Amino acid sequence: MSSALLSDDPCPDAIVAVPVRNEEERIAACLKAIDAQEGLEPGRLGLVLFLNNCTDGTEALVSALVPTLSIPVRVLSENFSGAHAGWARRRAMDAAAAWLGDAGNAGIILSTDADSRVPPNWVARNRAAIRAGADAVAGRVELDAAEAALLPPSLPARGRLEDLYDALITEAEARIDPDPHDPWPCHRTAIGATLAVTRSAYLAVGGMPEIPLGEDGAFIARLLEHGLRVRHATDVCVTISARLAGRAPGGVADTIRSRCEEPDALCDARMETFPRAVRRYAWRRRFRRMHDRGLLARNEAWARAIGIAPVEARRIAALPLGQAIAEAERLSPDLAYRPIGPRQLPGQIRIARLGVAALRLGFGLLGFARRIAGSAASGRPVADPRGSRI
């Protein structure tokens, strides 16, 4: 692996890490957006570019662009036949962690993609969330409007339904099983195009998972399993490409293309029917309370109820909370995710609106939410505690 420093080398306290592969068409916009960050003192922000397996004009373009930037940049380059998304992102973030280490065990590592454009307040808003107590920040993404306009109309229409349903079940989760470090409004996106993490938290979980697909989601899951505070910030949003030919197999481009080819492909795993989602969140709340009181090992009825063997129940009871929840959901046949298809979205949105309205009002909370969801699913009206019928 070769590396080069193409500008002055101070020790900033926030480093943006970008894996780059054959991005000559988009890298300029990416770098200019990172360089245009507002609300930061000079010298506080640095940039790591990890160029891997580039066969187009990306390297030459980067060499020409970096000297024009106002922030310090470290450029690394490597060709590796076994390269994949998780490997490249880890290399970039590890280099950022090492740079921060020059100034001590402090600072923030931010991740984005070479085909993305961050807004001018991206670093400042991530930093604000971390100053407010988060160990890591997961932001949202939006497709590039011009590129999205070229997609089949059915795809953006499906996306809007998915976004609406995702927001409803996320609000239900936040009200049923609230996380004091990630209060509503929040979201559940976990994508490498907009991640931020303290260097200490990054090292505490062993860094970015070096897996071919889904490294970003696995990283957030790892942080939560270790009991670290993750804020899914709604005010952090990055523009990503809507292209159909991406660089990472199984990434956003592949998802867009597959949904163009298979309009009825299932939604993301967490998009279950609303009653099932409510049951999951209620189970997590009960499990969390039992764990906090040390009750999991005393009474294994919880394990029998979700189909977990006694020996596994005892092992799970001894784990830290985040890991215990993850293991219980992984092993329980009753808690396996059963995602819905796009044709089910309108009906589930109607049910979820009723259920979330009940949760907002606080009338019976879970019991009323379950009743209203079940009645909506069966077509029967349900009595509103205020006296009307819904």
Side-chain angles (χ1 to χ4, degrees), residues 83-94:
H84 54 67
W87 170 83
R89 196 175 304 282
R90 180 180 179 110
R91 285 289 197 278
M93 295 183 76
D94 282 357

Side-chain angles (χ1 to χ4, degrees), residues 60-110:
L61 189 55
V62 166
S63 295
L65 283 171
V66 168
T68 70
L69 303 180
S70 64
I71 58 176
V73 184
R74 289 184 178 182
V75 180
L76 300 91
S77 179
E78 182 173 355
N79 292 319
F80 175 48
S81 60
H84 54 67
W87 170 83
R89 196 175 304 282
R90 180 180 179 110
R91 285 289 197 278
M93 295 183 76
D94 282 357
W99 191 352
L100 288 171
D102 294 342
N105 190 28
I108 304 168
I109 303 166
L110 300 105

